[in-house]
Amino acid sequence: MPKFLQSLKSLLTNPSVLLFVLLLVLLPKSAMAGAMKDSASGNPTPEAAATPMNPTSEYSDPLDSPYPIPWNWVINTHAEVSATDGSGLRYYRTPSLVSPDGQYAAYSRIQFKIRAQLHSSRVTSVMFLENLQTGNLEVVTAGSPLANNPFDGNPEAQLPGVITLLVPVSWSELGDRLLARQFEGLFSSSTVSDYAVIWNRNLNKTTTIAPAQVDYSHAVLLGWSENNANHVLFKAGILGDENWPMWAVNAEGKTLLATGDRPQTFGRSVAEAWAGPQAHYRR
């Protein structure tokens, strides 16, 4: 079992540990991906509006991912709300990632349930697929340990301190598959890692994968494999080690060393994150 899962299991079975650990220390410099450099400010919600922020500060990422989550928005929003209102809800919408054939757009809605203490707050998300021809929306959910699936009510996703963020990364070259990054872990802990979520358009099937039979504490999703279009690339290793190897993982979870391979991505990122109705989605 990867060290990330061992640590996660230990913390989840003893939630009081969250009250005593240090604040999350993995806050490297901003790592902007080309597709994510478009500005994506917060949008009005029934309770509050997220404050528009400079993209270079908005997208600092705990794992220094090339496809960063809006981590500085999380930290800054918590500081602002906890110092004024004490608690509340804030929302964030990612840019849309449009398929190469222009038929689908993928985007995520992030919910931040803020409490006075960061380790008691919770970040969850829902990723939508919009058919740009019909306007129909579908929801894509991960199958990882903390995944926030609105249809199965995973109790672990509701624990204080949980971070579970699913954001689109790339379409396949033909647009028949969508690759998304599932970042999850716990506030006030270094227990964080990536999973890859693949939606197959032809089968309408979702698969969640991560490196298997590999000893690592953290994994970082890199994109599709250049050498094999059916594989996803990860960088995975032990926190503190200098050089992390790259691994290629297929849809069944088979993991191979990917020396000499390179990640690639497809699709067009646009700032208009929500073209359709916000609440109208189906299973």
Side-chain angles (χ1 to χ4, degrees):
M1 179 184 293
K3 285 186 170 58
F4 166 69
L5 292 180
Q6 293 174 337
S7 301
L8 186 60
K9 183 178 180 181
S10 174
L11 287 173
L12 287 175
T13 55
N14 186 10
S16 63
V17 172
L18 297 174
L19 300 176
F20 302 100
V21 292
L22 298 175
L23 290 179
L24 191 64
V25 294
L26 298 176
L27 293 175
K29 295 181 180 179
S30 177
M32 289 294 296
M36 296 295 288
K37 285 183 179 177
D38 294 328
S39 175
S41 61
N43 291 276
T45 69
E47 281 202 31
T51 304
M53 298 177 61
N54 185 300
T56 57
S57 64
E58 188 175 3
Y59 282 113
S60 177
D61 188 275
L63 289 174
D64 205 16
S65 168
Y67 317 104
I69 58 172
W71 187 247
N72 276 6
W73 173 80
V74 170
I75 299 301
N76 293 341
T77 300
H78 179 269
E80 177 188 345
V81 174
S82 62
T84 53
D85 301 330
S87 63
L89 281 174
R90 295 295 184 270
Y91 295 90
Y92 184 95
R93 295 174 185 175
T94 70
S96 300
L97 185 65
V98 180
S99 60
D101 59 10
Q103 292 192 26
Y104 280 87
Y107 38 80
S108 298
R109 179 176 183 262
I110 297 170
Q111 176 181 284
F112 188 11
K113 189 172 184 179
I114 301 166
R115 294 293 179 260
Q117 301 298 320
L118 185 61
H119 59 67
S120 297
S121 304
R122 190 169 73 245
V123 178
T124 58
S125 65
V126 177
M127 192 173 81
F128 293 88
L129 274 172
E130 180 177 2
N131 186 317
L132 298 178
Q133 295 181 331
T134 66
N136 288 335
L137 295 179
E138 296 189 41
V139 172
V140 175
T141 57
S144 45
L146 297 181
N148 182 46
N149 187 328
F151 304 117
D152 67 9
N154 181 3
E156 292 181 343
Q158 305 304 315
L159 290 173
V162 162
I163 310 164
T164 169
L165 292 176
L166 182 62
V167 294
V169 165
S170 173
W171 290 92
S172 61
E173 188 172 11
L174 299 178
D176 60 337
R177 289 168 298 148
L178 173 68
L179 175 64
R181 177 193 183 197
Q182 170 71 1
F183 170 88
E184 63 181 43
L186 300 169
F187 280 123
S188 305
S189 166
S190 61
T191 305
V192 292
S193 196
D194 279 353
Y195 294 81
V197 178
I198 302 171
W199 176 72
N200 187 306
R201 177 171 162 182
N202 297 325
L203 301 176
N204 194 23
K205 178 183 177 182
T206 303
T207 305
T208 302
I209 59 175
Q213 307 300 317
V214 175
D215 190 22
Y216 66 93
S217 62
H218 300 74
V220 183
L221 177 63
L222 300 178
W224 297 110
S225 164
E226 184 178 67
N227 291 346
N228 190 325
N230 294 318
H231 287 69
V232 173
L233 295 182
F234 286 88
K235 180 173 61 175
I238 304 296
L239 183 63
D241 288 354
E242 210 168 296
N243 298 310
W244 290 5
M246 188 164 58
W247 304 93
V249 185
N250 68 10
E252 288 73 44
K254 183 178 180 180
T255 303
L256 301 171
L257 197 60
T259 305
D261 206 342
R262 293 192 303 180
Q264 56 181 353
T265 57
F266 305 94
R268 177 172 55 92
S269 179
V270 296
E272 293 76 21
W274 218 266
Q278 175 176 313
H280 174 245
Y281 60 90
R282 60 187 177 85
R283 295 183 67 169

